[in-house]
Every structure is written in C-alpha cells, then in structure tokens.
Amino acid sequence: MHASLELNPPSNEPVLTYAPGSTERAALIRELERQASTPVEAPLVIGGQAVLCEPMRDIRAPHRHSVRLGAHAVAGAQHVDRAIQSAMDARAGWNQLSFDQRAAVFLRAAELLSGPWRQRLNAATMLNQSKTAPQAEIDSACELIDFLRFNVYFGTKLQAEQPLSTTGVRNRIFYRPLDGFVYAVTPFNFTAIAGNLPTAPALMGNTVVWKPSPHAVLSAHHIMQLLMEAGLPDGVINLVHGDAEAISESVLSNPAFAGLHFTGSTTVLQGLWRRIGENLPRYRCYPRIVGESGGKDFIFAHPSADPLALGTAIIRGGYEYQGQKCSAPSRLYLPRSLWKSLEKSLCEEVAQIKVGDPADFSNFMGAVIGKDAFRKITGYLDLAARDPSCRMVFGGDSSDEEGYFIRPALIEVQDPKHRLMSEEIFGPVVAAWIYQDDRYQQALEVCEQTSPYGLTGAIFARDAQAVELAQQTLRSAVGNFYVNDKPTGAVVGQQPFGGSRLSGTNDKAGAIFNLLRWVSPQTIKENFNPPRDWRYASQG
Ligand code: NAD
C-alpha cells in the first residue's frame, strides 16, 4: 500500500425524519410504489458480469404474501467456482491500486447512497425485509454510508501505524491483503451489515465472494449495483445467491480461501468454523475468521431507574424491527418496587403500537422475516402459554394470513434461568424476571450467568454506585454496555459494535479492529549502510 491521504474523521450521516410533508417522505413513497410495481431480475454478479440462470427464485415481501418483488438467480457449483476464480483473477489489479484509489470507490458509493440512491436502498429494505421508514433510514442509508466512510478513515489510520526507524535503517509495515480470497456471508436483518461485510475486506485490498441472505436479496442486489456504479472493478466482489450450505461447501474447500467475514446465527457460525477446521490442511494460509453471531440482550433496572426512560427503552429496544436486531433486549431484570406501575404503563403504551405494512407510515412494526421465523417465534409463545410458571403480560397474537405478523409480547417468568431468559428468540417477545429490591447484587450475578451469549446489555439507574456495580459485575457479559440507554442502535465511529462469548469474535465492525483482520502485515527493513566486515569489536 502506498502513502495515503490525511483524512479527518468523517461525520455520521444525518438521519432524515420522514415527517409528513417532508421531501424525503414523498421521494420514498414514490420509490416504494415504483419498486412494488416493477419486479426485478436479480442476477449473480461474477467478474462484473450479470448471470441469470434457471431456475429463478421469487423475492417476496414478508408483510404481504401476494406481492412478488422479483426473482433471483441461484448459483450452481460451476458459478461458485467461477466466482472464486474471478476473485483470484482480480486480486493483482486491485492491489496495484493505492489504498486511496481503492478508497475512492467506496467514498463514491457513500456519496451516491447519501444522495440519489438513498431511497432506492431504503425502499428495497422496507419491501423485502419489512422495515419501517425510520428503521430503513438508520440502516440502509445512514449506517451503510457510515461504514463506507469510517472504514476509509480507519484504514488510513491503520496504515499510519508504522514501526520505528533508526539512523541508517528504514523500517516499514506494508499492509498486504490476505493471501487468497475472502468469503462474506451476510444476515437478513441489516442492509448495512450486508454492505459492510464484503466491502471492508475489499477496501484493504482483498477480493471477495459474497453470499447474502435469501431474505434480503433485493437490498443485496441494489448494493451490488451501487458499488458497480461507484466504479468497483470487475471481480473484486462477486455476488452469489443460492443454497447456503452447497455454496459454503465449495468455497470452504478451495485452497485459496483466506478469510470468513460472517454475521448470522451462532449455529451457522459454528458449522462454518468446524468446516474450516476440517479443511485446514488444504489451505495455503490460516484463514481469518471474523464472525458476529447471536445474542440474548438485556435491560437491567435498579430501583433508582427513571421509569419513563426505562419503559421507552423496553419498547423501542425490544420491539422495533420486530425484535429482530441482534442487539434487541429480550430479557428484563426489574425491581419489584418499579414493576407494578411499569407494567401498567407498558400495557397502555403497547396497546397503541400499530403493526402492519411498513409502507403505511403510522405502523411502528412490520412483519417478521419469513415462515421459519414466524414458526420459531410463535413456538416460544406457545411454550409460554403452556407453562404455568409464565404469565403473559401482553401480546401473543399472531397471524400469517396476509404476512408474518406478531404483536409485541411481554412474559413474566418465575425462573430467571427459564428458556425465555436464555435462548435467542429473535422476534418481538421479551421475558421479564422481577427481583426483590434488596437483592440487586445477586440479581446482577444471575444476569451475568444466565445466557451463553455476550452481545449487548443496559443498566438503568440514577444511583452512581448501582451503575458502577453493574459495570463491574457484567464486564464479561457483553461487548456493548449501555448506561441509561437502550442496548440497540450502535452508531459507527461512536459505539464500535460486537460481542463475545457465543455472540462472536468481537472484532467490532466499522472500527480499526475489524480492518486489522483483513490485512497480513509485512515488515520491511531497509539498511542504507549495511556492515561490510563480519568481525565484532569485542573480538579485537
Ligand atoms: P442465519 O444464520 O440464518 O443466516 C446468516 C447467513 O448464513 C445467511 O446468508 C444464510 O444464508 C447463511 N447460512 C444459513 N445456513 C447456512 C449454512 N448451513 N451454511 C452456510 N451458510 C448458511 O442468520 P439470519 O437469520 O440471517 O440473521 C439473524 C442472526 O444473525 C441472529 O442470530 C442475530 O443475532 C445474528 N446477528 C448478529 C449480529 C452481531 O453483530 N452479532 C448482527 C446481526 C445479526
């Protein structure tokens, strides 16, 4: 890599409001109508070429089964091999470009997304992933723009990290890409993550095979088009849709596989990791594994908590995007002294929440992502209904007639280690355990030990000592800790995001820590005055 431009830290992309009468709202409505009435054919993109092949699979809206948004191509083994080959062919050319030249592609993409492409990606995210306008805006517009700009800034800083040079000797670190291609496997729930996982390694000089979620094909299609419009050279990122297991099998058995950039469930990450372990003898290097996975995030309230702030955090954190954020709090630890009044106000507030088609801007929630998610989440609701130790405080209604709709649910449990308090449900279902006020420390310890995950958590307290105790007790329990705020909504550059334990490798997306994983530093010592006599002075 060559010397790089000096960059100041970028600012976070401002979040538009979509208030009635705003120009952005009018533009978004137009784009929603256009995309809903113009089905796309989403190809594979291999070596910059669009590949459409039979059979195509339908792309549908989770909130309206009758809407067909288009169809996407499905990769066969030959396409996966070609995608790998294209990535390997593109490596040398991509690496001949300086970091600044590569960065320019992604900065251009950020500018396009901030301007003319904004509503294209927002509408795709609303239609195919059932996000409301504000949820799409903070994801497919703002967070993705931030990832693109902040990665360039952090990449520049990383290159400035150089060793000492002494008189007559110059030492340098050359930030090489990994010795092969990177496999990016992305989840349905954040368009920004889908965009970040292939582009962060590419910025650092790697070439990529990208397999998006089958539930987010439309936004993946538009991200790929955006990157091409921004000047991404052919073959740097190769997009393949299709059977996740078969594609992964081909990719992970290729000797040139050098890194996995994954976000998704813990089970899938563990399966991929196992496969990589089995294939180790085939590879020409030890592959990097960056995997962010499941969570069982919590809100913990101390008796001194502000009840209004607490209630708002529970509603926004637990139910926005139908509880399908990896950081969404789905277990609550509440003191008995606050519980009765909080229960009453939560019931009143939640009764006002509208669930439905995100194109209706008065809806606070859309549908859950698909049939399997609907079954899994309603399965947990059935479990709670059958279990006499659980009390349904509100919610539990669901219908998959028109779309996959589940109303927000809150379940009080007697057992703090109940499955509802430890397993990832990934839907609008929150469990609450009520502790005795004088057992605060013990309750914190229960929280620390309940779930195998370690992603996000929040403490609500006005008492400074209570905050301190929570921070100390929960130090290893979460990768992102919030004080008097909901545990969702991490902002790139402000709260580097990632969890430990079974929540992932904690490489903090959109931060310098993550970029470090996509380079293999080479140290170069250059001697301007090498010794010309092999004898040492001590021998004289
Ligand atoms: P998922 O694990 O079902 O799918 C993720 C990706 O893996 C998709 O591209 C999918 O097609 C692929 N995949 C599925 N089965 C596979 C297999 N057998 N082999 C290879 N690839 C396979 O996850 P999802 O439902 O898309 O996303 C939700 C999950 O992601 C939740 O568990 C959530 O907590 C997690 N998540 C974590 C973070 C984080 O930062 N920790 C962020 C977002 C989402």
Side-chain angles (χ1 to χ4, degrees), residues 186-189 211 244 248 263-265 268 292-294 326 424 426 497:
T186 59
F188 79 83
N189 67 336
K211 198 215 77 60
S248 301
T263 298
S265 59
V268 173
E292 302 305 329
S293 48
C326 47
E424 185 178 54
F426 222 59
F497 189 79

Side-chain angles (χ1 to χ4, degrees), residues 138-140 142-145 147 190-197 223:
I138 57 169
D139 169 20
S140 43
C142 300
E143 190 173 355
L144 183 46
I145 293 165
F147 273 136
F190 275 94
T191 300
I193 298 179
N196 183 47
L197 266 50
I223 291 170

Side-chain angles (χ1 to χ4, degrees), residues 183-190 193 211-215 242-249 252 262-269 271-272 291-295 297 324-327 369 376 424 426 453 455 497-499 503-504 509:
Y183 183 36
V185 182
T186 59
F188 79 83
N189 67 336
F190 275 94
I193 298 179
K211 198 215 77 60
S213 163
H215 298 293
D243 181 339
E245 223 162 306
I247 294 173
S248 301
E249 189 60 36
L252 300 181
F262 174 87
T263 298
S265 59
T266 298
T267 323
V268 173
L269 175 58
L272 292 170
E292 302 305 329
S293 48
D297 314 294
Q324 298 173 121
K325 296 186 188 186
C326 47
S327 51
I369 196 66
K376 180 178 168 192
E424 185 178 54
F426 222 59
Y453 300 106
L455 193 50
F497 189 79
S503 291

